[in-house]
Amino acid sequence: MSRKTAVITGPTAGIGHEFAVQLAQRGYDLVLVARNEVRLKEVAEELSSYGAASEVIVADLSLRPEMERVEERIKQGVDLLVNNAGFGHKQPFLSNSVDDEVAMLDVLVTAVLRLSHAALTTMVERGEGGVINVSSIAGELPRGTYSAAKAYVTRFSEWADLTYRDQGVRTMALLPGFTKTEFHARMEVSRDSAPSWMWLEVEDLVREALDDFDKGRTISIPSKRYKVLTAASRYTPAPVKARFQKLGRR
């Protein structure tokens, strides 16, 4: 039996890296997409210990020509796409340059749209395949442009799953909360900026996400605590939710 292939964006650290490890353990070969060639090759070497073959694509998804190279690879045929690459800004909207904001939008939204379009096109033609889009609990809250981008990813994923599920292709949005990865460190945000009980272990998060995907769920919210918080947020007035904008940003 031939091995399945998964494309993962942002696999050199955090959630993306854990997806790479757990999918390799499940018998997938990987196409790894990130900006840092050295770290990509290190991850590829690590995954070989699980018997996985890894293809490395060095690409900055905020740059259209480099994004298009990834699209072309996806159009050659893959079984699973994990749109994970992303970053955030610590400072509020008007403290960032508009170019920095657009770069974030390109990675969080445009790349998800374009890579999903490439994947879904070939998957629907084949009648099988799947997409996991790493969104965020932040998309359920009024927390600036990052939250707005993640709200798009969640709604887009819901729509895609409703539209193409009957044609054999699944799409799921993963909505993690605060997770112990490099993400917040790169933003120079301290772990003390949110209560300790809100921080999730990345291994558990990805394991639960893959289990939810196996079960056919459209939305995956890891841990009971975040399921409760998400449900409560839907009945909380926006002005009240806005009071927590600084949580996880100090």
Side-chain angles (χ1 to χ4, degrees):
M1 179 183 293
S2 61
R3 294 170 64 91
K4 292 185 176 182
T5 301
V7 175
I8 305 176
T9 65
T12 56
I15 292 174
H17 178 263
E18 190 60 30
F19 264 112
V21 169
Q22 293 195 27
L23 287 171
Q25 291 172 338
R26 284 174 167 230
Y28 279 80
D29 289 332
L30 288 307
V31 179
L32 308 172
V33 181
R35 295 177 298 174
N36 190 316
E37 184 175 10
V38 172
R39 293 185 70 175
L40 278 172
K41 289 181 177 178
E42 290 173 350
V43 174
E45 178 64 25
E46 175 189 359
L47 298 179
S48 67
S49 65
Y50 303 108
S54 296
E55 177 183 345
V56 166
I57 301 178
V58 181
D60 182 341
L61 296 179
S62 69
L63 303 176
R64 186 60 57 85
E66 298 189 22
M67 189 192 308
E68 288 174 350
R69 287 196 289 109
V70 183
E71 291 176 62
E72 289 306 312
R73 174 59 185 89
I74 290 171
K75 289 176 182 178
Q76 294 174 23
V78 299
D79 300 284
L80 179 67
L81 167 64
V82 181
N83 278 312
N84 165 78
F87 64 93
H89 295 308
K90 181 179 180 179
Q91 300 301 320
F93 180 63
L94 294 181
S95 297
N96 302 317
S97 72
V98 70
D99 288 339
D100 286 344
E101 287 284 349
V102 170
M104 186 178 72
L105 188 70
D106 283 340
V107 174
L108 297 186
V109 173
T110 306
V112 170
L113 184 155
R114 293 184 68 99
L115 300 188
S116 294
H117 189 279
L120 291 170
T121 298
T122 58
M123 289 174 181
V124 169
E125 289 176 355
R126 196 171 68 241
E128 61 180 354
V131 177
I132 297 176
N133 291 323
V134 180
S135 184
S136 174
I137 289 294
E140 306 295 309
L141 303 169
R143 283 173 61 90
T145 49
Y146 180 85
S147 294
K150 291 303 187 179
Y152 170 90
V153 173
T154 301
R155 300 289 87 79
F156 169 75
S157 302
E158 285 184 304
W159 166 82
D161 196 48
L162 288 167
T163 303
Y164 300 114
R165 177 187 286 255
D166 289 346
Q167 299 178 58
V169 181
R170 295 280 329 292
T171 303
M172 185 184 82
L174 167 62
L175 277 59
F178 295 114
T179 309
K180 297 176 183 177
T181 68
E182 292 182 9
F183 181 86
H184 290 87
R186 291 199 302 268
M187 292 172 60
E188 299 181 348
V189 169
S190 168
R191 291 265 177 91
D192 295 333
S193 63
S196 59
W197 61 267
M198 297 187 76
W199 291 93
L200 302 174
E201 298 292 341
V202 68
E203 297 89 350
D204 297 336
L205 184 154
V206 171
R207 186 176 301 108
E208 187 170 345
L210 290 173
D211 287 345
D212 283 347
F213 189 74
D214 291 342
K215 293 172 183 175
R217 291 182 176 152
T218 304
I219 302 291
S220 175
I221 301 175
S223 83
K224 292 181 180 178
R225 77 201 84 158
Y226 276 104
K227 288 180 173 67
V228 170
L229 288 173
T230 302
S233 74
R234 291 167 184 161
Y235 299 97
T236 304
V240 175
K241 290 189 284 190
R243 296 175 187 172
F244 299 95
Q245 288 196 59
K246 294 184 178 179
L247 191 67
R249 286 183 172 170
R250 299 191 303 274

